[in-house]
């Protein structure tokens, strides 16, 4: 194991064991290096690596802290990695979204508030019947994010946020090349919203599946 990897594992071990908890300040570099049996250089590299993936927060002039370890914060790295996808893997990302998003939508059926439903409905109304592709995609992202947040599962919400990069590009491409994409998307959004208002989890799940699958089916035919 490379010395930097060893240093990362040792710091990880301290966090997992509870020796370091969210918000805790790490001991001084010299003290921590001695405690873990590491060189200061390898410890410094490990801290730099762990800060990049939001495990540690290096505050100049103050010290290094364990972050909140909130799922949304930790999963930010996922969206960064996802952006390096190849075109032929977009379908794989959409397949994952087709598994996760209908489940989140069904979970939201019993939790989403009337106020949140009204907000989502107002967003759709504000688009009008002939929005631009960019307006439609922006609304689509906010529409699904609002529903998934209402599922009550922050990990699920963060995972789906991280997957939005390639699927967003697929939706833009679809909107530019498929004539009925805009009207179909608006129809599917309203069907999902109607199922949520009825508290019908299975209908919400079904419409969310149709919504993602229609993008996936179209993209498969064009690649």
């Amino acid at each position: 194991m490379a010395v930097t990897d060893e240093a990362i594992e040792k710091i990880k071990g301290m966090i997992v064991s509870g020796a370091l908890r969210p918000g805790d300040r790490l001991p001084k570099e010299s003290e921590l290096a001695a405690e873990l049996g590491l060189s200061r250089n390898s410890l410094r590299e490990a801290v730099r690596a762990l800060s990049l993936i939001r495990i540690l927060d290096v505050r100049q002039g103050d010290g290094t802290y364990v972050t909140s370890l909130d799922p949304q914060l930790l999963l930010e790295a996922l969206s960064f990695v996802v952006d390096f996808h190849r075109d032929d893997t977009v379908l794989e990302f959409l397949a994952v979204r087709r598994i996760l998003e209908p489940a989140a939508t069904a979970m939201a059926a019993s939790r989403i508030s009337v106020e949140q439903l009204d907000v989502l409905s107002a967003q759709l109304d504000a688009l009008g019947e002939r929005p631009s592709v960019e307006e439609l995609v922006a609304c689509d992202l906010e529409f699904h994010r609002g529903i998934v947040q209402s599922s009550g599962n922050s990990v699920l919400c963060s995972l789906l946020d991280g997957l939005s990069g390639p699927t967003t590009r697929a939706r833009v491409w679809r909107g530019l090349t498929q004539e009925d994409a805009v009207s179909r998307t608006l129809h599917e959004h309203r069907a999902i919203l109607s199922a949520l208002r009825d508290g019908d989890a299975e209908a919400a799940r079904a419409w969310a599946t149709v919504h993602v699958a229609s993008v996936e089916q179209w993209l498969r035919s064009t690649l």
Side-chain angles (χ1 to χ4, degrees):
M1 182 183 293
V3 289
T4 301
D5 292 339
E6 181 186 1
I8 289 172
E9 284 299 315
K10 287 186 174 181
I11 297 173
K12 174 186 171 184
M14 293 181 72
I15 295 172
V16 171
S17 70
L20 286 173
R21 303 183 65 81
D24 282 355
R25 180 177 177 174
L26 271 63
K28 290 181 179 179
E29 185 182 272
S30 57
E31 295 174 4
L32 186 58
E35 179 183 343
L36 298 179
L38 301 167
S39 71
R40 294 178 69 170
N41 280 340
S42 62
L43 177 60
R44 202 170 294 132
E45 289 298 319
V47 167
R48 185 177 293 115
L50 290 170
S51 68
L52 286 173
I53 57 172
R54 304 292 196 268
I55 302 295
L56 298 178
D57 179 20
V58 180
R59 304 176 190 174
Q60 294 298 325
D62 186 13
T64 300
Y65 292 78
V66 180
T67 67
S68 65
L69 303 180
D70 181 79
Q72 186 171 1
L73 184 68
L74 298 181
L75 288 169
E76 279 182 8
L78 174 63
S79 60
F80 179 78
V81 173
V82 163
D83 280 336
F84 287 96
H85 80 287
R86 303 186 311 274
D87 288 344
D88 60 354
T89 60
V90 175
L91 282 170
E92 295 182 12
F93 287 113
L94 280 168
V96 174
R97 185 179 162 218
R98 178 162 44 84
I99 294 167
L100 297 179
E101 194 159 295
T105 305
M107 290 167 64
S110 62
R111 295 177 173 89
I112 195 165
S113 68
V114 173
E115 291 76 17
Q116 180 62 18
L117 288 168
D118 288 343
V119 168
L120 295 175
S121 182
Q123 288 174 348
L124 295 182
D125 290 341
L127 273 180
E129 295 301 319
R130 302 181 69 84
S132 69
V133 173
E134 291 76 13
E135 289 171 335
L136 181 68
V137 170
C139 179
D140 189 51
L141 285 168
E142 287 306 310
F143 181 83
H144 292 292
R145 183 178 288 118
I147 292 172
V148 174
Q149 284 175 342
S150 297
S151 73
N153 189 311
S154 60
V155 175
L156 193 52
C157 188
S158 297
L159 281 171
L160 284 164
D161 258 356
L163 291 170
S164 68
T167 56
T168 297
R169 285 192 284 275
R171 288 197 296 274
V172 171
W173 186 15
R174 179 185 185 219
L176 291 171
T177 59
Q178 191 176 25
E179 288 183 5
D180 65 343
V182 172
S183 60
R184 183 185 299 181
T185 297
L186 292 173
H187 170 71
E188 290 165 357
H189 279 185
R190 293 195 181 282
I192 292 170
L193 205 55
S194 177
L196 290 173
R197 282 196 185 278
D198 292 340
D200 190 335
E202 290 311 307
R205 185 197 305 272
W207 274 111
T209 302
V210 167
H211 183 56
V212 180
S214 65
V215 178
E216 190 179 356
Q217 183 180 36
W218 168 82
L219 188 58
R220 184 177 287 108
S221 71
T222 64
L223 291 176

